[in-house]
């Protein structure tokens, strides 16, 4: 199905959190004609906003305003914490740091070096791929993808070092893409290519997720703007902006490339993939990401389908997302299920435990956000199953409050035995334990960290994945095989 590009969207709501004041906020709550609010850009007279919907828009604007207010101190705190963790590590921890201070030989970390690690990496310092899996194994793509999604949080030098020297693959580039709405480089991604033989030519596109202390990225997550793609569906505006939505033109099939114009994610990555496919018609690619990165990975094939990029869709081996939020409405979900079937694309959406992010934005009559693709759900014992929707599909449902708190406590208890159960590489240090503690107050936040998603793909047991996801050779097993 190719959507006519000349059709223009007549249905959209774009939030502008920086354009209004207190009076506009009050007006937004009191009156249904939200198009007259300075905070909202939408067609006049077609959008009936009842109170619950206006209330959610109100909260979204408040959160984005707050994030903008704390943007600099939050970034400074994040950088200071990251610098301290690297300083502590590079100098041999407490005793080594003390001795280096006394000797005036303190090692000062370089944030652009291949040794410098992100806060995310200090929660899970694994960089090696799972040695128990080989290309062709049914779990290979998922295990490979989650490591690429986790690696995307690191700096360019660290990513390049890992891809080249640890994974022994070709590093294609690390990119900082422009967001026309925020007028910043808010979208990061990297690409690698695995050409181990004449029969294997696999490119991986990995989008960076939401960094802990990045207000711009969190604003994207909380932005409830949506934009209707004709004959496709309504899509989360914040994610579309991060992917490359054009401010004045929506999603044209082609854009003018100039040296003075910053590159945007979708068009740049698509053009790079076109070059690879032209070079080798048998080449395949997968798209992956964690959190916000998962949302961008999920939407990338949506725009490919909208533009009728049939050749690229046939070369798309799979989409693997981890802790991915919802990205659109039920019409979009139906459109993508059709595309997934038409092009035989493996689309696996991994959800661990009570991770809060896959349960946002709400799936109800007010917001109507829906997931699509195969949901692979794991509990805290890393027992997996294929489900239509993860349990407790809306995070704020009160009946799940006690189970979520209980589960967070049990995850913290589990932290002390993982090393003895599975080995040294599963050890959870003090930094991750700190976030486990935060999870007792805000259940689901610690479950969102990449650590558990990596564990799911390595030690998790899943009985039905093989019937839904073809293996690396493209074939589907004829019977169920339990993965232990």
């Amino acid at each position: 199905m190719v959507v006519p590009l000349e059709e223009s969207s007549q249905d959209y709501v774009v939030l502008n959190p920086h354009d209004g004041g207190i009076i506009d906020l009050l007006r937004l709550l009191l009156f249904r004609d939200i198009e007259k609010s300075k905070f909202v850009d939408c067609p006049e007279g077609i959008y009936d906003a009842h109170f619950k919907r206006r209330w959610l828009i109100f909260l979204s604007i408040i959160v984005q305003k707050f994030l903008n207010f704390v943007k600099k101190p939050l970034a400074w705190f994040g950088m200071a914490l990251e610098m301290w963790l690297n300083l502590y590590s590079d100098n041999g921890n407490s005793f080594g740091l003390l001795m280096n201070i006394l000797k005036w030989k303190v090692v000062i970390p370089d944030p652009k070096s291949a040794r410098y690690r992100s806060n995310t990496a200090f929660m899970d310092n694994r960089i090696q791929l799972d040695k128990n899996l080989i290309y062709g194994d049914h779990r290979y793509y998922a295990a490979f993808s989650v490591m690429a999604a986790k690696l995307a949080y690191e700096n360019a030098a660290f990513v390049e070092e890992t891809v080249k020297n640890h994974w022994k693959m070709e590093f294609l580039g690390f990119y900082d893409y422009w967001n026309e709405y925020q007028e910043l480089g808010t979208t990061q991604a990297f690409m690698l290519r695995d050409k181990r033989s004449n029969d294997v030519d696999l490119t991986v596109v990995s989008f960076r997720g939401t960094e802990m202390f990045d207000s711009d990225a969190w604003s994207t997550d909380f932005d409830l703007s949506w934009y209707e793609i004709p004959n496709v569906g309504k899509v989360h505006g914040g994610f579309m902006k991060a992917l490359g939505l054009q401010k004045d033109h929506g999603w044209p099939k082609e854009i003018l490339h100039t040296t003075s114009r910053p590159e945007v994610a979708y068009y740049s990555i698509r053009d790079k993939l076109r070059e690879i496919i032209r070079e080798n018609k048998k080449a395949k690619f997968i798209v992956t990401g964690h959190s916000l990165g998962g949302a961008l990975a999920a939407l990338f094939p949506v725009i490919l389908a909208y533009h009728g990029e049939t050749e690229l869709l046939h070369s798309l081996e799979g989409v693997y997302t981890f802790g991915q939020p919802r990205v659109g409405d039920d019409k979009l979900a139906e459109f993508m299920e059709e595309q997934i079937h038409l092009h035989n694309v493996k689309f696996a959406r991994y959800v661990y435990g009570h991770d809060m992010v896959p349960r946002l934005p709400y799936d109800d009559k007010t917001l109507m956000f829906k997931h699509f693709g195969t949901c692979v759900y794991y509990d805290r014992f890393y027992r997996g199953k294929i489900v239509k929707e993860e349990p407790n599909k809306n995070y704020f449902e009160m009946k799940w409050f006690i189970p979520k708190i209980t589960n967070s406590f049990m995850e913290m208890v589990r932290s002390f035995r993982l090393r003895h159960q599975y080995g040294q590489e599963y050890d959870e240090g003090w930094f991750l334990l700190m976030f486990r503690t935060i999870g007792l107050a805000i259940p689901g936040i610690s479950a969102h960290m990449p650590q558990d998603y990596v564990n799911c793909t390595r030690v998790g047991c899943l009985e039905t994945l093989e019937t839904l996801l073809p293996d690396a050779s493209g074939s589907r097993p004829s019977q169920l095989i339990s993965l232990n």
Side-chain angles (χ1 to χ4, degrees):
M1 176 181 179
V2 178
V3 181
L5 295 177
E6 64 271 12
E7 294 186 27
S8 60
S9 174
Q10 298 298 317
D11 198 357
Y12 59 88
V13 171
V14 177
L15 304 188
N16 306 305
H18 310 306
D19 289 353
I22 295 177
I23 300 300
D24 296 286
L25 276 173
L26 293 175
R27 193 188 191 289
L28 181 63
L29 283 176
L30 295 173
F31 299 99
R32 299 172 73 95
D33 52 347
I34 63 172
E35 69 273 6
K36 294 182 180 179
S37 170
K38 292 182 180 180
F39 290 116
V40 182
D41 179 18
C42 66
E44 186 174 354
I46 72 166
Y47 190 63
D48 184 20
H50 52 74
F51 179 76
K52 186 176 180 181
R53 189 167 292 182
R54 299 199 309 273
W55 172 247
L56 290 172
I57 292 174
F58 172 85
L59 289 178
S60 174
I61 291 171
I62 290 293
V63 170
Q64 290 184 74
K65 277 186 168 294
F66 173 76
L67 288 169
N68 185 64
F69 178 74
V70 300
K71 177 178 177 178
K72 288 186 178 179
L74 192 64
W76 290 337
F77 176 79
M79 288 189 293
L81 176 61
E82 197 170 79
M83 177 61 72
W84 163 251
L85 291 171
N86 279 278
L87 182 72
Y88 185 75
S89 175
D90 288 355
N91 286 276
N93 299 333
S94 301
F95 181 76
L97 178 58
L98 177 60
M99 293 303 297
N100 285 349
I101 291 174
L102 295 174
K103 295 176 182 178
W104 291 87
K105 293 183 178 180
V106 176
V107 178
I108 305 299
D110 177 5
K112 295 182 179 180
S113 75
R115 287 178 53 86
Y116 195 86
R117 291 180 285 168
S118 70
N119 289 315
T120 300
F122 277 100
M123 290 190 182
D124 181 2
N125 61 12
R126 290 172 290 188
I127 59 174
Q128 296 289 358
L129 299 177
D130 188 352
K131 297 178 181 178
N132 296 319
L133 295 179
I134 59 173
Y135 187 84
D137 188 288
H138 297 296
R139 292 180 296 173
Y140 178 82
Y141 281 140
F144 186 13
S145 294
V146 73
M147 290 300 292
K150 187 171 80 75
L151 183 60
Y153 286 99
E154 307 309 313
N155 66 55
F158 190 106
V159 173
E160 183 174 5
E161 167 76 13
T162 301
V163 171
K164 287 182 175 179
N165 298 327
H166 294 279
W167 296 0
K168 307 300 181 183
M169 298 176 186
E170 181 183 355
F171 176 71
L172 299 182
F174 182 95
Y175 313 101
D176 192 7
Y177 290 118
W178 190 250
N179 182 324
E180 286 201 346
Y181 288 80
Q182 294 182 335
E183 296 185 347
L184 293 167
T186 63
T187 305
Q188 290 77 36
F190 78 88
M191 296 176 65
L192 64 83
R193 194 171 182 181
D194 182 8
K195 295 177 67 176
R196 68 186 65 198
S197 69
N198 293 331
D199 298 324
V200 178
D201 190 347
L202 178 70
T203 298
V204 177
V205 179
S206 179
F207 290 96
R208 179 181 291 182
T210 305
E211 294 183 275
M212 284 182 278
F213 303 103
D214 185 346
S215 283
D216 290 320
W218 281 109
S219 292
T220 298
D221 288 335
F222 282 99
D223 186 354
L224 294 183
S225 302
W226 50 259
Y227 177 95
E228 183 186 35
I229 301 178
N231 299 329
V232 174
K234 297 174 182 176
V235 188
H236 187 293
F239 302 145
M240 294 290 271
K241 294 170 189 176
L243 189 61
L245 180 69
Q246 301 297 285
K247 204 167 188 178
D248 300 319
H249 307 289
W251 285 111
K253 186 164 186 177
E254 305 291 343
I255 61 174
L256 180 64
H257 293 285
T258 65
T259 55
S260 61
R261 177 174 182 161
E263 288 189 315
V264 293
Y266 167 76
Y267 295 98
S268 174
I269 293 171
R270 182 201 62 182
D271 291 349
K272 289 176 173 62
L273 291 171
R274 280 175 173 174
E275 293 177 6
I276 292 171
I277 301 304
R278 280 196 294 266
E279 177 187 323
N280 180 8
K281 295 295 183 182
K282 294 182 179 180
K284 299 290 185 180
F285 71 96
I286 60 177
V287 187
T288 187
H290 168 261
S291 191
L292 166 62
L296 300 180
L299 285 176
F300 186 78
V302 172
I303 309 304
L304 288 180
Y306 174 62
H307 286 158
E309 296 282 355
T310 304
E311 185 176 24
L312 282 178
L313 287 169
H314 282 317
S315 299
L316 177 56
E317 184 69 22
V319 179
Y320 294 85
T321 71
F322 306 88
Q324 171 215 315
R326 297 184 178 98
V327 298
D329 67 356
D330 53 353
K331 185 177 179 181
L332 174 72
E334 291 174 4
F335 173 82
M336 280 309 297
E337 293 291 353
E338 177 185 336
Q339 298 298 320
I340 290 169
H341 176 75
L342 179 64
H343 299 287
N344 194 31
V345 174
K346 300 183 284 292
F347 195 116
R349 181 175 61 83
Y350 281 72
V351 178
Y352 166 74
H354 288 283
D355 183 350
M356 65 190 302
V357 175
R359 295 164 169 92
L360 298 171
Y362 249 45
D363 175 4
D364 65 3
K365 294 180 180 179
T366 301
L367 292 179
M368 300 174 290
F369 281 88
K370 302 288 183 182
H371 276 306
F372 54 84
T374 300
C375 180
V376 187
Y377 173 76
Y378 284 89
D379 63 19
R380 73 170 183 270
F381 301 104
Y382 302 130
R383 296 177 304 199
K385 58 182 177 180
I386 302 298
V387 294
K388 183 176 181 181
E389 189 78 54
E390 59 274 6
N392 176 27
K393 71 175 184 176
N394 289 324
Y395 178 74
F396 295 104
E397 288 185 357
M398 292 306 297
K399 68 179 181 180
W400 286 91
F401 181 74
I402 298 300
K404 286 189 292 188
I405 292 289
T406 303
N407 195 74
S408 294
F409 176 76
M410 296 307 297
E411 285 175 336
M412 193 166 184
V413 172
R414 182 196 62 189
S415 295
F416 296 98
R417 61 178 175 81
L418 281 177
R419 174 181 178 179
H420 304 287
Q421 185 173 359
Y422 297 116
Q424 177 67 34
E425 66 178 286
Y426 296 90
D427 183 40
E428 296 191 355
W430 67 267
F431 192 47
L432 181 55
L433 285 174
M434 180 182 71
F435 271 81
R436 296 285 191 205
T437 304
I438 295 174
L440 297 177
I442 311 175
I445 192 168
S446 60
H448 184 58
M449 297 299 105
Q451 169 91 11
D452 285 311
Y453 284 99
V454 174
N455 291 350
C456 288
T457 64
R458 296 194 176 193
V459 300
C461 176
L462 184 67
E463 294 183 349
T464 56
L465 181 62
E466 296 85 344
T467 61
L468 295 167
L469 303 175
D471 61 22
S473 66
S475 62
R476 292 180 183 270
S478 60
Q479 60 183 359
L480 298 182
I481 304 173
S482 178
L483 294 180
N484 296 307

